[in-house]
Amino acid sequence: MRFISFCFKVVIRIIGLLFLREMASMRDTVLILGASGQIGTDLVHSLRETKGSPNVIASDIRKPSEELLQSGPFEEIDVRDRERLFEVIKKYKVSEVYHLVAMLSATAEKTPMKGWDLNMQSLFNVLELAREKHVQKIYWPSSIAAFGPTTPKEDTPQFTVMDPGTVYGISKLSGELWCDYYFKKYGVDVRSIRYPGLISYKTEPGGGTTDYAVEIFHRAKNAGQYTCYLAEDTALPMMYMPDAIKATIGIMDAPAEKIKIRTSYNVAAFSFDPHTLGEEIKKHIPDFVINYKVDDRNEIALGWPQSINDTEAREHWGWQHDYNLKTMVGDMLKKI
Ligand code: VAH
């Protein structure tokens, strides 16, 4: 009888330990690298709403805004410093990393080697920590900049010619191939989408070629006039930030077996050129005037697709956008 009672106690203790370990592993602490950037600012807010602030660690190389600091844990991290990154991952038992740090297209053309070093070294640091099993899942964004001048411009397919002509685009295409390599060789669960130009109101533009589509709203509201650095007919794929956040969380929440592409997924919402955007703004601000002073960023934009086909993202993990040009403009002018 005493032996049976002893065995029963042992079994109960083992079940209890397994339960506690399961609970600990279920605490999916998330670390966002580049939390003060255009995407990071919105993503921190969304993830803290769903996962709880203590479980979402914001980080950036720059000091955070007061709002970001007050809303949950923040750590200063230079993502090129692998030891510092590892220290924070251990401190918070991080299970998922959203790596949003990058030097964008226009800025990287001014300092090519700094752009390449930041974009690639930071990615390798995160991939290596995942290969060593210190984190379970990674999100890393690519971009339509990974396409190039010989890529079909209209309805650009998921699989096609990719010959990027910018440092940023070369780093994004290289990064896609490295993500696929780490998945195939080491089983690293890294997921990625190719963002189009992103439009949001919470942060200032950050050196991207597509950022005219952010600046224009601030100028239209405050000055009634905007001088655009792209030509009036330079069309680009664009997306409103709420949809970009939806796609980002959507691919990360999808079951692993649904993620059939481990380079990066095309995602799309709508496309426009500066003239079309200006006309839509005029429906809200009739006296708004857009002028043009085209610079070298127009050449960058002409090397990118004009519209994107995202069939695979819609079929594999259920992506679909909510905003179109009309609803995006209406919401931006309300929120700016
Ligand atoms: C840039 N906003 O303009 C980024 C984007 C499609 C380009 O990745 O550099």
Side-chain angles (χ1 to χ4, degrees), residues 37-38 62 102-108 203-209 211 214-215:
Q38 183 190 23
R62 297 173 293 186
M103 190 182 289
L104 298 181
S105 56
T107 308
T203 57
E204 290 299 313
T209 300
D211 286 337
V214 176
E215 289 170 357

Side-chain angles (χ1 to χ4, degrees), residues 77-117:
I77 300 178
D78 177 340
V79 287
R80 290 164 299 187
D81 178 349
R82 182 172 158 173
E83 283 317 305
R84 171 64 181 147
L85 182 54
F86 188 25
E87 180 186 292
V88 172
I89 285 170
K90 285 185 289 186
K91 176 179 175 183
Y92 294 93
K93 296 186 178 59
V94 171
S95 58
E96 294 182 15
V97 174
Y98 288 75
H99 174 6
L100 304 174
V101 175
M103 190 182 289
L104 298 181
S105 56
T107 308
E109 286 307 297
K110 296 174 186 153
T111 56
M113 285 302 106
K114 280 187 182 167
W116 174 260
D117 174 56

Side-chain angles (χ1 to χ4, degrees), residues 204-266:
E204 290 299 313
T209 300
T210 60
D211 286 337
Y212 86 90
V214 176
E215 289 170 357
I216 193 170
F217 286 98
H218 295 278
R219 301 287 300 147
K221 202 83 183 274
N222 303 329
Q225 180 278 337
Y226 179 63
T227 301
C228 184
Y229 53 77
L230 296 188
E232 63 178 324
D233 60 348
T234 299
L236 288 169
M238 295 281 187
M239 184 179 287
Y240 197 27
M241 187 58 78
D243 274 334
I245 299 301
K246 177 183 177 185
T248 304
I249 295 173
I251 195 172
M252 284 295 272
D253 286 351
E257 61 272 15
K258 301 263 189 199
I259 310 301
K260 299 176 172 56
I261 296 171
R262 291 288 181 162
T263 46
S264 190
Y265 275 91
N266 283 3

Side-chain angles (χ1 to χ4, degrees), residues 174-234:
S174 306
E176 289 189 14
L177 298 173
W178 276 112
C179 288
D180 190 50
Y181 180 88
Y182 269 74
F183 172 72
K184 288 191 172 102
K185 192 160 174 95
Y186 307 118
V188 168
D189 187 0
V190 51
R191 304 169 186 208
S192 177
I193 55 180
R194 292 170 181 153
Y195 288 132
L198 299 183
I199 298 162
S200 63
Y201 54 85
K202 288 182 182 163
T203 57
E204 290 299 313
T209 300
T210 60
D211 286 337
Y212 86 90
V214 176
E215 289 170 357
I216 193 170
F217 286 98
H218 295 278
R219 301 287 300 147
K221 202 83 183 274
N222 303 329
Q225 180 278 337
Y226 179 63
T227 301
C228 184
Y229 53 77
L230 296 188
E232 63 178 324
D233 60 348
T234 299

Side-chain angles (χ1 to χ4, degrees), residues 315-334:
E315 287 179 355
H316 294 182
W317 46 275
W319 157 244
Q320 63 179 36
H321 70 284
D322 295 322
Y323 285 85
N324 59 33
L325 172 61
K326 179 178 169 48
T327 53
M328 176 276 288
V329 169
D331 198 59
M332 275 291 283
L333 289 173
K334 210 184 303 172

Side-chain angles (χ1 to χ4, degrees), residues 142-153 155-166 168-170 172-173 176 193-196 237 264-267 300-309:
S142 183
S143 159
I144 60 165
F147 297 112
T150 64
T151 302
K153 286 269 183 267
D155 201 31
T156 302
Q158 175 70 44
F159 302 106
T160 182
V161 175
M162 299 180 83
D163 58 344
T166 64
Y168 175 70
I170 295 165
K172 286 304 180 183
L173 178 55
E176 289 189 14
I193 55 180
R194 292 170 181 153
Y195 288 132
S264 190
Y265 275 91
N266 283 3
V267 290
I300 294 175
L302 292 175
W304 293 345
Q306 292 176 359
S307 62
I308 295 288
N309 181 302

